[in-house]
Amino acid sequence: MIENNTRVIIRDVDAIRYVTLNRPEKANALSMSMLHELRCAIQSSEAAGIRLVVLRSASPRLFCAGADIEEFLEGPDQLAQQSEALRELIDAMARCPLPLLALARGRAAGAGAIVLSL
């Protein structure tokens, strides 16, 4: 297992990296810190000997509601930073040389649907 926070759980088992969204109280809404954790987990996978990255939710009923709207209310600078963090995650996913598998049990919306589709 690599270091992680409680909102994004990262576990390496054999050559599979499981990246689990774990913020059920906010429907797994993606905060800037979660976007950063996801990007770092994906970008570091190949160097760690990972052969498959699995994105999933700890919730049995939803994948991700999208970006954290509460962060939008902090002002335009925060919104711009969150948008940049999402673009960086999208770029990391698009450039990842490993297969990415997203497992969704339930709903995905907004940025969550983008992550799911990548």
Side-chain angles (χ1 to χ4, degrees):
M1 184 168 7
I2 65 174
E3 184 178 331
N4 58 81
N5 65 41
T6 59
R7 292 181 177 174
V8 176
I9 299 169
I10 303 161
R11 280 189 65 218
D12 295 345
V13 179
D14 298 322
I16 301 172
R17 175 162 288 172
Y18 295 93
V19 181
T20 306
L21 301 177
N22 187 36
R23 193 180 182 202
E25 74 282 2
K26 294 288 187 175
N28 288 334
L30 297 170
S31 65
M32 275 190 27
S33 64
M34 290 174 72
L35 291 166
H36 174 75
E37 290 285 326
L38 289 167
R39 179 179 55 81
C40 289
I42 290 166
Q43 287 179 326
S44 65
S45 293
E46 185 178 27
I50 300 301
R51 300 185 63 110
L52 171 68
V53 178
V54 177
L55 302 173
R56 62 187 181 177
S57 169
S59 171
R61 297 191 177 139
L62 67 95
F63 180 71
C64 178
D68 187 344
I69 293 174
E70 285 185 21
E71 287 186 353
F72 293 179
L73 302 176
E74 294 178 22
D77 290 340
Q78 181 70 18
L79 180 58
Q81 290 175 16
Q82 191 182 48
S83 295
E84 181 61 24
L86 178 58
R87 281 191 295 276
E88 289 173 353
L89 173 59
I90 291 168
D91 185 63
M93 293 177 80
R95 293 177 187 275
C96 183
L98 306 173
L100 300 172
L101 174 65
L103 302 175
R105 297 176 295 173
R107 297 170 292 176
I114 292 169
V115 169
L116 186 59
S117 69
L118 289 169

